Amino acid sequence: MQYIGLEPERYQTSWISGAEGIKFQETMAKLVSDVKKLGPNRKLRDAQ
Amino acid sequence: MKEITNKIQAAATKLFEEGKIDVFLAWEQQGEYEFQTNSYVARSIEDVKNIVFNEYSIYNVANTLLKLRDGQERIGIAVKGCDSRGIVRLLEDLQIKRERLYIVGIPCPGMKDPLTAARNHGGFNKKKIEDGLAKKCLDCIQPNPVIYDELVGPEQSPRQQGDRFQKIKELEQMSADERYKFWEDTLSTCIRCYACRQVCVACDCRTCIFDEMKPQWVGRETSTTDNMMYHLVKHAHMAGRCIECGECERVCPVGIPLMLLNQKLIKDVGELFGGPEAGMQYVEGAKPALSVYRENDPDNFL
């Protein structure tokens, strides 16, 4: 995906157990802040 | 070339006479002109005379094996270097048994593109296009068969020159937006004819994700987004399996440089996993990089 020009920050993978609430919260906060820095996605959107 | 044709025909005749094979796969000339070639299935000794090997026998004949994979026939097959890598791939994927095959290897002197020849031959456009070796043959790294029972013709040396991944490295240097622009321009021309899938030796799934209607994983519209999704998914499946035969790029009617996607994956798989490239050697029971599951995988991307 990176190779065809999408920003790698938009796609993140993480392994979080149902018991790891704090890790989930931290991961989501990081994802949101990463994506906010990039701004709205304009790529791969012409189908809608 | 005529010599090699004769040798293939002799080998096929001998095999049929000895009763070692039921069918023989090679190439034929379909029409009036020598560039009108296709793959050919000789089913009896009378068919052998139709076998032709000329400078346009570019079709990857290993792909034809997929049509015979469910049968019991013993198969004789004539292969070039790239085709033999395709056979190794099919053997690794357990699509066909080695016992069923008798492989006649041809060290390949390089093929010309039949389409270029056809364009030069007729039509309104009388401007001649340079009629050299096909692009896929200029980038060839393995002209000699890697697996064979019998070899005809003298060994050839690889034709690939310079840095194989030069283009890929240039693309990697671009910014994300430039790359997106490049691929948007290229892939938006795709007409979704699926020729690249049909001709691919590594595409050996019986049920294809792109044919499924329920659920429909990838949209069938020829919009840039759906085209990009198609190519992302198709070529991501080729990671560690693409044998670089270049057929997808050759058959593309709109000329999308598909090998740029495949070579990127070849480069990445080589860097991440090492080992021989897909189809370069056949070890019984060996698996390509992404077909193995181990519990102690490091998983460091998570």
Side-chain angles (χ1 to χ4, degrees), chain A residues 1-7 13-15 43-47, chain B residues 168 171 176-177 179-180 183 223-225 228 232 260 264 302:
Chain A
M1 287 202 290
Q2 202 177 340
Y3 183 60
I4 71 157
L6 302 184
E7 295 89 354
T13 314
S14 197
W15 186 273
K43 293 169 184 172
L44 292 181
R45 291 299 290 270
D46 69 318
Chain B
I168 312 295
L171 270 171
D177 288 334
R179 265 204 304 272
Y180 186 78
W183 285 113
S223 63
T224 310
T225 304
M228 278 182 148
L232 266 181
L260 288 181
K264 163 71 177 164
L302 286 180

Side-chain angles (χ1 to χ4, degrees), chain A residues 26-39:
Chain A
E26 283 166 358
T27 313
M28 289 312 287
K30 183 175 174 295
L31 177 71
V32 171
S33 73
D34 281 354
V35 173
K36 278 221 167 116
K37 268 181 228 157
L38 291 171

